[in-house]
Amino acid sequence: MSMSTASETGEPSGGERLAAIGSLLAGVVPEIEWRVHEPYIAEIARLKEERNAFVIVHNYQTPEIFHGVADFTGDSLAMAYAGAATEADVIVVCGVHFMAETAKILSPEKTVLIPDIAAGCSLAASIRREDVRELRRRYPGVPVVTYVNTSAEVKAESDICCTSANAVQVVESLGAERVIFLPDEFLGKYVAAQTDVEIVLWKGHCEVHERFRAEELQDYRASHPGLDVIAHPECSPDVLAEADFVGSTAKMIDHVRERRPAQVLMVTECSMSDNVSVELPEVEFIRPCNLCPHMKKITLPKIEQALRTLAPTVEVEPETGARARRAVELMLAVGAR
Ligand code: 13P
Ligand code: SF4
């Protein structure tokens, strides 16, 4: 058997890859922290090969995860497509539980790991299966559009899912005069402002985005002339009215990549600015720092442990999974990015 070293093949060695990540992150991860992360990133790279694992990372993860161990990064919609497309045996979702559950719904035969099973979401916690059944009784014949930030049980009761990237297109794809939109009230109001379809709302909120205030953004604008303000549609209507651009996390990133404003304020979870600033050092990110406590449960040691022990796995009861899958696949067919 002939063997060749990384330097002979022209491929960077593991050590060279690590050093490259270290210098990329120098502006956002202090040296003393990087020394702690380094051995975990190396071990995770080794375990990924051993397990034939694919690591999908949400835009809100910390830079050492986002830039250090991801095979794929994106918003909830892109994560769902990537999970459905991978041929790996193991999918590791570095995000919150509903994201990992979506991967399991689409790939029930695969091992889907989430490094911390308790990484939840205030929107997913705001609604149960019984609530959807009650709404269907109250509004007979009105289709149910459900944000992916929900449990598999809630998805299973729904006609179709959506994400913040395609909510308007999904609502309009049904050709209905009225739809029930669950569970994010603010995203529902954002959709209602852009369509003639009547939207029946639920009062779920994202605990991170509901904290932003319009006055806070006005103050930032006053102190930073020319500031580009871009917001996630989980923010309140008052906040969105102050924004120059509204979109999913991926659309926000694309906007900054294309526009390259001198100064930008991303009205969303704090780590995203760190992740994008690594790529765009010429853009100054103004950071009002709201962290998602659920996203922040995912750490490098937990990712390493999940790959080593193949736990915790995400499981979905097969019948619920099949019904939820229908709603998710209908969304993926609408697409719209
Ligand atoms: P995106 O789909 O825009 O990434 O949003 C997911 C999320 O949880 C935002 O809080
Ligand atoms: Fe849920 Fe909000 Fe955290 Fe996103 S940021 S996972 S919507 S709590």
Side-chain angles (χ1 to χ4, degrees):
M1 187 170 72
S2 72
M3 299 269 287
S4 55
T5 64
S7 61
E8 282 163 359
T9 61
E11 294 241 327
S13 68
E16 284 166 343
R17 266 198 298 269
L18 256 187
I21 300 167
S23 52
L24 187 72
L25 296 183
V28 289
V29 177
E31 170 73 15
I32 190 164
E33 277 182 32
W34 173 247
R35 295 282 158 234
V36 178
H37 297 322
E38 225 176 0
Y40 285 105
I41 292 175
E43 180 60 4
I44 289 166
R46 192 191 68 75
L47 284 166
K48 278 202 294 187
E49 284 212 12
E50 189 177 298
R51 300 298 197 191
N52 187 23
F54 188 68
V55 178
I56 301 178
V57 173
H58 187 258
N59 293 322
Y60 292 163
Q61 292 296 304
T62 46
E64 70 280 4
I65 296 175
F66 187 90
H67 291 285
V69 301
D71 294 306
F72 183 88
T73 59
D75 64 4
S76 316
L77 182 60
M79 290 171 82
Y81 280 116
T86 181
E87 287 178 0
D89 298 320
V90 176
I91 301 174
V92 184
V93 177
C94 298
V96 293
H97 192 266
F98 76 81
M99 294 171 174
E101 218 175 34
T102 302
K104 184 68 181 179
I105 287 167
L106 291 169
S107 305
E109 74 292 354
K110 291 194 193 293
T111 300
V112 176
L113 303 171
I114 182 162
D116 189 326
I117 200 88
C121 169
S122 65
L123 281 166
S126 75
I127 188 155
R128 302 158 308 153
R129 171 189 10 213
E130 293 69 32
D131 299 317
V132 190
R133 290 182 179 167
E134 175 54 29
L135 282 164
R136 283 208 189 267
R137 276 192 287 275
R138 221 184 301 159
Y139 297 94
V142 179
V144 175
V145 177
T146 295
Y147 194 26
V148 286
N149 297 39
T150 45
S151 67
E153 289 190 351
V154 167
K155 289 183 177 77
E157 298 296 321
S158 309
D159 292 287
I160 187 166
C161 287
C162 73
T163 75
S164 58
N166 61 10
V168 178
Q169 291 89 337
V170 166
V171 164
E172 295 195 332
S173 75
L174 297 173
E177 283 178 13
R178 181 148 83 144
V179 305
I180 299 168
F181 189 91
L182 306 174
D184 187 345
E185 182 188 14
F186 295 155
L187 179 61
K189 285 187 171 172
Y190 173 71
V191 173
Q194 295 182 65
T195 178
D196 292 333
V197 181
E198 187 193 335
I199 308 288
V200 178
L201 296 164
W202 184 257
K203 282 204 176 299
H205 296 146
C206 162
E207 67 188 82
V208 179
H209 290 90
E210 72 176 352
R211 289 209 295 267
F212 292 104
R213 291 280 167 266
E215 304 73 51
E216 174 189 10
L217 304 190
Q218 288 156 3
D219 290 347
Y220 277 113
R221 270 203 203 279
S223 55
H224 298 81
L227 181 66
D228 199 12
V229 177
I230 62 175
H232 194 277
E234 289 172 7
C235 296
S236 73
D238 291 358
V239 166
L240 296 185
E242 294 295 329
D244 298 306
F245 175 81
V246 176
S248 76
T249 56
K251 287 184 177 179
M252 292 170 81
I253 294 172
D254 288 347
H255 174 89
V256 180
R257 275 192 190 127
E258 281 157 25
R259 294 276 307 267
R260 309 218 169 199
Q263 292 187 315
V264 66
L265 193 162
M266 287 181 147
V267 190
T268 193
E269 214 268 357
C270 194
S271 291
M272 203 163 97
S273 294
D274 287 339
N275 291 333
V276 191
S277 71
V278 165
E279 184 193 325
L280 301 173
E282 73 276 26
V283 177
E284 187 188 348
F285 289 80
I286 309 299
R287 294 177 173 84
C289 204
N290 285 342
L291 291 169
C292 173
H294 311 290
M295 289 280 180
K296 262 55 254 190
K297 284 196 160 73
I298 309 300
T299 61
L300 287 175
K302 289 183 195 171
I303 299 169
E304 186 271 335
Q305 177 167 314
L307 276 164
R308 185 163 36 79
T309 61
L310 290 183
T313 58
V314 175
E315 306 298 340
V316 179
E317 189 275 315
E319 202 204 313
T320 305
R323 290 169 60 219
R325 181 177 181 145
R326 202 181 144 273
V328 175
E329 285 186 339
L330 283 171
M331 168 188 82
L332 296 182
V334 171
R337 296 217 32 124

